[in-house]
Structures are given as structure tokens and as C-alpha cells.
Amino acid sequence: MEYNFSAIEKKWQKHWNETKAYQVKNESDKPKYYVLDMFPYPSGSGLHVGHPLGYIASDIFARYKRLKGFNVLHPMGYDAFGLPAEQYAIDHGIHPAVSTEKNINTYRNQLDNIGFSFDWDREIRTCEPGYYKWTQWIFLQLFNSYYDRNEKKAKPVQHLIAAFEKEGNQQHVCPANNQLSFTAGEWKSKSEKEQLSILMDYRLAYCGYGEVNWCEALGTVLANDEVINGVSERGGFPVVKKKLRQWYLRITEYADRLLTGLEKVDFSEALKEMQSNWIGKSYGAEVDFAINETQETLRVYTTRPDTIFGVDFMVVAPEHELIAKITTAEQKTAVDDYIAYVKSRSERERMAEKKITGVFTGAYAVNPFSKKLIPIWISEYVLAGYGTGAIMAVPCGDERDFKFAQHFDIPVTNIIGDAFNGEEANPTKDAVLQQSDFLNGMVMRDAIEVAAQKIEDAGIGTRKVNFKMRDAAFSRQRYWGEPIPVKWKNGSAYALNESELPLTLPHIESYKPGPEGEGPLANVPEWVAQELETNTMPGYAGSSWYFLRYMDPHNNETFCDRKVSDYWGQVDLYVGGTEHAVGHLLYSRMWTKALFDLGHIGFDEPYKRLVNQGKIGGDSRLVYRVRGTNEFVSFGLKEQYETDEIHVDVNIVRGTELDTEAFKKSKPDFANATFVLEDGKYICGTRLEKMSKRYFNVVNPDDLVARYGADTFRMYEMFLGPVEQDKPWDTKGIEGVHRFLKKLWRLFYDEQKGKVWTNETPTDQEYKIIYKAIKKIEEDIERFSLNTVVSGLMVCVNELTDAKCSKKEILEKLLIALSPYAPHAAEELWSLLENKSSVLEASFPEVEEKYLIESEKEYPVSVNGKTRTTMMLSLDATQEEVEKLALANDVVQKWLEGKSPKKIIYVKGRMINVVV
RNA sequence: GCCCAGAUGGCGGAAUUGGUAGACGCGUCAGACUCAAAAUCUGGUUCUCGCAAGGGAGUGCAGGUUCGAUUCCUGUUCUGGGCACCA
């Protein structure tokens, strides 16, 4: 009887399926535990070996929790809306619904291969009307709500309207415009359109205008990563910024709660820090500077009002509206040229740029205290979206300001004396201020407050808490997403009624963008005739609340029954990649808070504990396109051209040599590609980077499962290293894990002798082996160290083999501990041990400590910190005994060289160190 | 540019609280079984000097704290990730 993994795995997968072994009920006497994976976007390339890493880890944990007596919810589904399916439709004319369905089926087959314990009766797909009906419903909840700053929670807009009718907006500062003020009478006298426009500035889901990457040649809006060096990835056409009407979520109202909420969740410190940096809370002041010889003022935001006497110039963002008004005639051409240059650049390029660029407007601001004239410059390093889009530059204290001043020969005022060396800026807060009028002699840290107060007293500014976080853009000019349930009448947006949901996505044949940058829905006559919104929701809409739908996936009355969400509550363990650290996690935290505020659920943080799985690295292949052409140059010759690098599918590359014919067929854009070869070959560049569909460097798990079995594959993925850590994929080592399972099998059945397991009573030594292993396995899994669990299992099998132990009582414990990792082999052997029930129903073994008690230990003995020998000592040896024995030791004597020791350090159970 | 993470043998990694660096596995070398191969088993395998016994060095790099540092501190280099329309 040998280890026939493929027969065993098929047999048990069928059995578990037929017996609904993984079905979970919403009622139970057992304590609940919710284990969730970040669900996949079903890409056309299928699952690669990087995807299941987290799924396997969470599956192991879910199975382990079940063995520990929990009612475990462990669902899976698909984040099925998204850009790639739409791009595929544009390239191949296949409807996204069709390709998505096909991709999901591929994913499902691949997942089933690996033997997960998902309750598939709870599967969800974000692109199905039965699901997105509720995504739209939640959107309406947000649309029909505002954030009450007094109560610090979301409330229905009816409350707001009632307040407006009673007292105007005195109690409710408008988040979009804090200057806005009206009385009850004024409110009532406004037209419906005016009222709706005001309400829009309060809603949690609102419509506004924002800049997008607009590509005229493609007639469409592009994602940041579809833009390379200011041209489109497809076709290499110019891309410029364009203002478009957009939907937004007013996530900024939740900034403080998103920040403080981090204190009550178990995320890694690194991840919390990423989120708080994203939120970017800063304390500072807005200060108005008069502009010389005009009536205009320039408002800047600064976190360092204490440096106001060190301001040597102003910098405004190239988008700043004052530029047109203040630029002098002689500077106009230079300014226009510079603005045209900036328009071609992405925000990321602008922030990353090391080269200093800028232009002088010709205008001067006036320092409100010193009355000094300050030149106003324009530079791309100041972003329009942050603060007021203008800064006061203090070169002696800010590195970027200092470099700018050097580059443009602007004289630098030193307000911190010796703390500034003239060579580089010093951003300290601890220097003593000089040349600073009323701040002279003060430590900067204290002067911040004094300056802020003075600014407020003088009526030229106010203290201001700023957030780097901006409201989340919530619309896409695309087809394959949730339709936004809104109608436009007379230029006002009206929400659909709940009864009109779902607003289903119409079937279309052409995926071309609509007129003026609108989405494809603008080309659908019936859609436009109903005055429906033509934007769709972004990729993160469906994923912002999916963890709730799994609890109650078939409910047609509500998104999730309150009783059910009260039972399951928060996700106890959430596993997924760090790439979602800020986007998805912040959005779903915000949605959860809003749903909580409105009373739909009973908790305001979705995920109690989060584990970030590392990425499995892939080995990518690159080709080099000569800029603005369709000519591709081989790796060794690329330096002779100006090129853009493009990833190419590793499957059409042999080693590093590109199959040029296959390349031409891979995309319509490449059909007419030409090549510059070296030695008759096109050689690709290589790069180790994450394994991802976008890099075309995926390795498929199916082949490995076919060859070694799911159990081997599962264990090998875990054995690669810590789940949280990034690591390169290498198939080589998988043999070792496969050998382990065969070795385990031989404890039960021998190739020659057949059955070797017995019902004999184990010895103390054998108990010790198994309990030592169980203890390690349990400790390691609790801290999510699954690679060391696998090695623990290996050590256990090695030791049992050496001890020739094949006793049923020992082997059963081993199988239970193994079952989360290698469920099929464990179940087969479990039944071969003549167990009637499934190993899934077993209980995790309790460790009997009495077998683990040791009386002595081999201590390392070091002299001056270097280990020289070891000594076997009783564990309750005293300091005196140890000193005597250590000094009597030959090796210690040798290293003492006749000298007497200064001190002998003895740490019980650890080590002995003789200090000379 | 800003933010985050990481760096240990030929390779993936282990060392949980500052206490025997290299568990476990891959690869590799030698041997057993075999007509042979596969499979399996046994033993060696950080580098270096040495016939050996036994030394010396060693956790990216440079310092520091300590009886003792992969672990703590300061500085630094490199690699990977995120930066708002990829998901």
C-alpha cells in the first residue's frame, strides 16, 4: 500500500463535498471564529503560486480553530468588477461578463485542486446584481447621509434639512466650504436646485470636479500606471490633466476616527504607520499674505508658523488660480511655458523629481510682520491638492526650499544663527530664533504656539488641522463596474429609490468611451434617455463591505441581517497582501464606520486581527520599445535608443530569448511590431519582482498539484518561509516536502511488509516525542509561524522513525496535528486507522506536560563569552555547585591559563559564562 | 522625493525574553541496496588554517552598550513594496 496522492485527494474532496463537510451554520453552541481571505480579482491568467500562499495559511488556521472547538466561518468569493476585464473586452471583443465568468470557473477549479475548507454555499461575486444591489444600497446610504461633526457620526440628511429649516446652517459647518453661511429663511427661499447643490456639499457620497489623466488620442481616462513618462502605455499617446465631474466619498470626515480606530485593532505596527501617514494629520496654520500692489491675498498652509521671519519666497502650485491674476506681463510667456510642461507630468513624477524646476511670477507678497517683499514663484513640487496649494518657503529650515533657493539664486535669511551652516537646511525645532522680531530668543518648538496666536490675533490667519488624505474618488469613466444609482434632472443628482435597485448594468457591444471623456454607458441610448449617471463605481466599492455579505449571502431583504452580523461580528483573522494597506483597508474601515453610525451593524472596525502575507517573487521578462514607435530593441542594444520598457509574458520567452511571432500575436498593438535584434535574437531584460498578472511572470499551481499532490503543495508553500515575508519562488525544494509525506506514510504502511501500525501502548519516550511536537506546533501556529510548524512535523516524523514507533495512539495525535496542513493524507490515514468519523471532527490533542519534564540539561560553557565546551548539569543545580564543576572542567582550566576567574555567570536553564 | 519593510551558508530559511548561530528542507559529496537506473537508506557539508588534535573568522557595512548582540542603540549601503484610476 503506497502513498497514492492523486487517488486519495480526489476521493476525499468528493467525500467532503458530498457530506457538506465545510458547511457552516449561523447558529451554534460553539464560540465563533471568522477567518477571511482578501478575495481575488479573477484575472485571465488564473491563479499563480503567489495567490494561494495566504489562502493556505488562513485555511490551516481555520482548520486548526475547528479542531480547537470553534464554529468557523471561512468563505471565499470574487472581486469580479475591474479594469482588466474591460481592457480585455476592448482588445478581444469579449464581453467582460463572459470573460469574468470563464476566469472565475478557472479560479474555482484551481482552488478546488488545493483542498480548501471554504463553505462554497456562501460564495459571492461582486459583479452579480444580487450582490451589487446592496453595494448600490450602501452607496445610497452614504449619499443620503452627512457627517455630523458635533456628534462625530454619520446621520441621515433629513436631520440636516430639518436643522436648516429651523436655524440655517449655524450648527453645521459645510465641509466643502467653511465660509458658507445661511439662515433658515435664506434656506427656505432657495430653489430646489440650490438646496440640492448645498446638500451635495454635505453628503458622504457626493459629486464634484477632479483632475484625471486624459488621453485625447484614446479618448479615455487612464489609471496612473497606464501612464508612463507622460504618454499612454498603450500606443504612446500624450496624456494631460483634465477636470471632469466625479463622485467622491467624504472619507476625510472620518480621518480622525480612522486614525484613533487603529489603536483598537491588531494590525502590524508597520501597517498602522502606513495608514496614519496616509491620513497625514498635521497641526499648523493658514496665513494670508497680501500681494503687493494688488487687492489679492495669497493663503498658505504651514506647520511651522515660528519660521515666518525666515520666509524668503513663496511657492504656489502650477494649478493655483491666483497665477493668472498676478503674473506680470514680462513673466507671462515663461509662466505659460512652465505650466504647459507641468500639465504633462503625473503627480508622482512631480513629487519624485530631483531636478529643480520653477518660474517667477513677477509678483511679490508682503510679510505681514516685517513688511518685507517676498517673490512669488511657481513650482511643481507644491501640489494643488494639499493644504492651500501654496507654501511659504523657509530655506534655512527646509531642504527642498533651500535647494530651490540655491538653484535660483534667492538670498537666504538665517533665523537660527549657528544652527544653520549655510551649506544645508536644518529642519530642527530646537534652535533659538534670531532676526525674528517678537519671537527672538525663543526656542522654535515653543515659538510655534506664540506665532500661531499672534497670527490669529492679527486677523491674518487661523490655526488649522490638516489632513494629507483627500476625499476618495468614487467614479470611473468605465463600463465594468457597479452603476451609480443616480439620475440627473436639470443638473441636479437624484438618488433612485431603494425599490428601484438593483440598477442593472446594461449589456453593450462596444466598449468605446463616450463623448467628452464620459464612460461607455454614455453611448447607450436607453441609459442616457433615462438621464442615468454614466460613471460607474471603482474597483474598491464591492470589496469595501463583502465581509458582511458572507455572513448572510442569500438574503434578499437586506444586505446582512442584523442578528447574523451580531453573531459573527468582526473578522477575527484577515489575511491579505500589504498592497491593500491603505486603499482597500481604509475604505472598508470607513464603510464599516458609516454602517455602524447608521445603525445597520453593531461594530465599527471590520477586522480584529490582520496578517499581511508577503509576496512571492517572480522572474519577469522585459522588452524595450523605442519611444513613440512600434519598434522593439534587444536588451544589449537598448542604450543606443530612448526606450520605454514593457513587461512581456514569461511564457513566450525561452530563457531570455523572445518568441517574436508569439509576441506579435499577444496584443493587437504589437501585431505590426518590428525588432532590432542582436545575433539574430531578441534578448529580454530580466527582473526579480512580485509575481503578478501585470508583470506576466506567473507560475501555475495546477502543474505542481498534478505532480506532487495538493498536500505537498500546501506544505511546501508554508515551508518556503514566514507567511509575512516576501520570498522568491523556487520549485526545486518541493521534493523534500513530498519525501516527508512518504516517510510519514511508512510509519503506517511499509512497501514490503504492508501494515505496520499497532495498538500497543506507547512508551514514555514515545509520548515525549509526540507531545514535544504538539506543543511546538500549537505555539507556532498561534503566532502564525507556519514554516516552523512544518519543520516541527518533519522532526517528529524523523524521531518516530528513528524510534521505530508505529503505535496507533501516537500516530492519531500526529494525524490530527497534521490535518490542517495535509488534510487529504491525514484523512486517508485516519480512516485506515479504523476511525469511523472524519479527522475534521477530531479535537486537537492536549499536551500532557508530565512527559516533557526534564531533570538535566547540557549547558554551554563559555569563557569570556566564547563557547568552549558543554557540561551535563542537573536543572536545579545551584550557583556554588556550578562554579565548582565549571572550574574543575579540563577545557575551562585550559582557557583560564592559570588565572582565577573574575566572575562566573550562571543563568539557570540557559548557559554558563566564566569571565577572566 | 516621502513612507514602510528586509538583508543570516551554494539556496529557502531557524534561533519565541540579549544566552550553544545555521534547526528543518533543497543542493552537493561519500557510501549501502541494485545487473543497472529510479526509489530508499546511512554519513559529511558556514568559511578558513591544520594529517589530526585543535585554532581563527563569521548574521549587509562602520561604530557603540553588555560578562555575552542575528537580537538593543547610532550612522550607513543595498534590495523590495506603497504613494490615491491595477486590483
Side-chain angles (χ1 to χ4, degrees), chain A residues 740 743-744 747 793-802 814:
Chain A
F740 156 76
K743 191 167 181 178
L744 165 90
L747 287 173
L793 286 162
M794 286 172 169
V795 169
C796 181
V797 167
N798 289 345
E799 288 180 356
L800 290 175
T801 304
D802 290 345
L814 174 61

Side-chain angles (χ1 to χ4, degrees), chain A residues 185-245:
Chain A
E186 284 166 344
W187 170 257
K188 284 179 204 155
S189 69
K190 288 182 194 295
S191 69
E192 180 178 329
K193 186 169 175 166
E194 285 167 334
Q195 288 185 342
L196 285 173
S197 160
I198 288 170
L199 286 175
M200 193 59 102
D201 284 343
Y202 284 85
R203 296 180 191 279
L204 285 178
Y206 69 94
C207 208
Y209 284 83
E211 285 198 334
V212 294
N213 297 314
W214 171 253
C215 180
E216 185 68 44
L218 294 171
T220 186
V221 174
L222 298 175
N224 279 340
D225 68 318
E226 292 177 299
V227 184
I228 300 167
N229 296 330
V231 300
S232 61
E233 185 176 32
R234 285 180 294 129
F237 302 113
V239 175
V240 295
K241 296 275 177 216
K242 179 173 173 147
K243 274 211 165 183
L244 275 186
R245 186 175 60 72

